[in-house]
Amino acid sequence: MSETIHVALGARAYDVHVGAGLLARAAEIIAPFAPSGRIFIVTDKNVAHHHGAMLTKALSALKPTLIALEPGEHTKSFAGLEQLTSQLLAANISRKDLIVAFGGGVIGDLAGLAAGLVKRGVEFVQIPTTLLAQVDSSVGGKTAIDTPHGKNLIGLFHQPRAVIVDTSVLATLPERERRAGYAEIVKVGLIGDAPFFEWCEKAAPFVIGTTPEPEKLGGRVHRDATIATAVKHAIAFKARVVEKDETEQGARALLNLGHTFAHALEAHGGYSNQLLHGEAVAVGMGLAFQLSANLGLCGETDAARVRKHLSNAGFVTDLRQLPGAPFDPAKLLALMAGDKKNEAGKLTLILARGIGRAFIEKDAPTEVVRELLQQETT
Ligand code: NAD
Ligand code: GLY
């Protein structure tokens, strides 16, 4: 059983197919987008180990070439881009071939960027394999690499032709990675859907997989159904936002709740795998709500409820305890000042008037942000 969520973007419209066991049907979904009948599967070595043989078999009619890169955020770099594009060119990729990004957000962002650049643009399909990539990064066409100046600063909007979300591949995903993906799910509730946040407060242990012995008490069935609900809800929410604002001229920036703080924390730590992107987003969302409370925009109770939920879900929400600590507040602020969303030297942040009531603040008071960072890091 699978469902389709359409992303209505005119000439760049596409479907997100969601269901358990969809990898087996990948050829039928992908074939229309590979006119040459030749595809390049870009993946990382972990995903290749767990699921590479299965996908290669499912796509055998399309003569797949498998390129398996080193796993981890460091691959999403100029060096990773050079390596991947060189391999594609050495294999004489043509504009009629198709790139299949098969992995987490690192592979999706990197392979999507390579697809947008190689021979001035090759079509690509996303097959996300982490919870984070399934609910967020594979949909919406943002592609990028990181630089020492900041995260995702070199990139393109390049929409995939289709997205295939097979929730059964999540079975091999470590719990820490599932939790990181959960951050982008609960983000949806915090931005614009308070009832969904309330649902998340109950559902988090099932989505993350911390419920004991799911086989007993019908737990596995409940867990799979809960994950499917969460994944579809988050994708549909994102699809609606992207349809309204494909290239982030306005409302799409809401999806970056917590991300300006998160990107600064990730860059501060040199993009080390000590701190996963989703973990940084979780702490960043807590900070965005705390800042909103400090500015009198939302109640302290909302900020406390958000941070309590994130902490109950297993995230570290205290910057002093976060891997990479101690953080230098001045350096964090400088990194935040380099964010893509900023205009005319002013700090743009996503703040909230309550749970589910996020908004874009284009001139966040730097002094109050500085005080918050000072207070949270010392
Ligand atoms: P990731 O791609 O590094 O994957 C996490 C780890 O899980 C890796 O070690 C990977 O090898 C492993 N893995 C992947 N699938 C697996 C599976 N099914 N079983 C076992 N192991 C598996 O990290 P991520 O969290 O998926 O993505 C983070 C990246 O996504 C960041 O760079 C972030 O900036 C980016 N991102 C992009 C967007 C966007 O809109 N483009 C949105 C959110 C995040
Ligand atoms: N992850 C934010 C966006 O896609 O816009």
Side-chain angles (χ1 to χ4, degrees), residues 213-372:
E213 288 298 314
E215 303 299 347
K216 292 182 194 152
L217 309 168
R220 177 170 289 280
V221 174
H222 182 61
R223 184 161 108 185
D224 290 352
T226 309
I227 290 173
T229 303
V231 167
K232 283 183 240 168
H233 196 90
I235 294 172
F237 182 89
K238 180 157 188 185
R240 300 297 82 83
V241 174
V242 169
E243 282 169 358
K244 287 195 203 102
D245 180 19
E246 183 181 0
T247 57
E248 203 169 296
Q249 304 304 310
R252 183 167 178 172
L254 288 171
L255 296 174
N256 289 311
L257 175 67
H259 281 57
T260 308
F261 290 106
H263 289 169
L265 292 166
E266 288 177 86
H268 192 290
Y271 307 110
S272 119
N273 287 340
Q274 258 193 324
L275 180 65
L276 303 180
H277 174 70
E279 293 169 341
V281 167
V283 72
M285 291 191 297
L287 289 173
F289 268 82
Q290 192 56 58
L291 181 63
S292 302
N294 291 1
L295 288 165
L297 294 162
C298 77
E300 267 295 342
T301 44
D302 277 343
R305 184 175 164 196
V306 171
R307 292 183 99 170
K308 182 160 185 288
H309 171 62
L310 293 169
S311 160
N312 287 346
F315 291 108
V316 177
T317 54
D318 181 345
L319 252 70
R320 287 165 287 248
Q321 309 292 326
L322 205 64
F327 292 96
D328 172 0
K331 190 171 169 197
L332 287 178
L333 194 60
L335 285 162
M336 289 172 74
D339 188 80
K340 293 186 290 311
K341 292 186 293 304
N342 297 335
E343 288 168 21
K346 292 179 176 161
L347 188 59
T348 297
L349 284 180
I350 313 308
L351 299 177
R353 296 194 175 88
I355 290 170
R357 297 176 62 208
F359 69 97
I360 303 162
E361 171 55 69
K362 293 209 160 201
D363 191 7
T366 315
E367 263 323 300
V368 186
V369 180
R370 194 192 312 277
E371 273 165 31
L372 174 73

Side-chain angles (χ1 to χ4, degrees), residues 103-106 126 128-139 163 165 181:
V106 164
Q126 291 265 19
T129 61
T130 62
L131 186 58
L132 182 140
Q134 296 196 342
V135 300
D136 191 357
S137 61
S138 63
V139 178
V163 182
V165 174

Side-chain angles (χ1 to χ4, degrees), residues 26-242:
E28 151 201 343
I29 297 168
I30 284 174
F33 308 115
S36 67
R38 187 172 177 233
I39 62 168
F40 291 84
I41 302 173
V42 180
T43 190
D44 73 30
K45 288 178 181 168
N46 291 337
V47 178
H49 167 71
H50 290 295
H51 306 287
M54 187 175 177
L55 186 68
T56 311
K57 185 165 170 245
L59 295 177
S60 57
L62 294 165
K63 301 192 260 317
T65 302
L66 188 84
I67 300 177
L69 304 171
E70 288 303 322
E73 190 71 32
H74 281 294
T75 294
K76 217 182 102 170
S77 59
F78 274 113
L81 182 66
E82 185 178 12
Q83 187 195 341
L84 174 56
T85 49
S86 299
Q87 282 187 253
L88 292 168
L89 293 173
N92 201 20
I93 187 170
S94 91
R95 281 181 173 168
K96 301 263 186 240
D97 297 340
L98 181 78
I99 291 177
V100 176
F102 183 47
V106 164
I107 289 299
D109 281 13
L110 176 69
L113 178 58
L117 293 173
V118 162
K119 305 218 163 154
R120 297 207 178 91
V122 175
E123 303 283 18
F124 85 116
V125 162
Q126 291 265 19
I127 307 187
T129 61
T130 62
L131 186 58
L132 182 140
Q134 296 196 342
V135 300
D136 191 357
S137 61
S138 63
V139 178
K142 278 189 181 175
T143 75
I145 52 172
D146 305 327
T147 83
H149 292 278
K151 205 166 148 61
N152 295 334
L153 292 184
I154 301 290
L156 292 169
F157 285 98
H158 186 42
Q159 299 290 347
R161 297 307 307 274
V163 182
I164 303 176
V165 174
D166 181 348
T167 47
S168 47
V169 300
L170 299 176
T172 55
L173 195 66
E175 185 180 305
R176 184 177 172 212
E177 297 290 350
R178 293 167 80 100
R179 179 174 294 107
Y182 174 74
E184 304 279 15
I185 293 176
V186 71
K187 178 185 83 176
V188 165
L190 294 175
I191 293 171
D193 191 342
F196 183 63
F197 177 73
E198 217 175 305
W199 180 87
C200 283
E201 286 180 309
K202 296 183 205 83
F206 290 96
V207 178
I208 298 166
T210 47
T211 46
E213 288 298 314
E215 303 299 347
K216 292 182 194 152
L217 309 168
R220 177 170 289 280
V221 174
H222 182 61
R223 184 161 108 185
D224 290 352
T226 309
I227 290 173
T229 303
V231 167
K232 283 183 240 168
H233 196 90
I235 294 172
F237 182 89
K238 180 157 188 185
R240 300 297 82 83
V241 174
V242 169

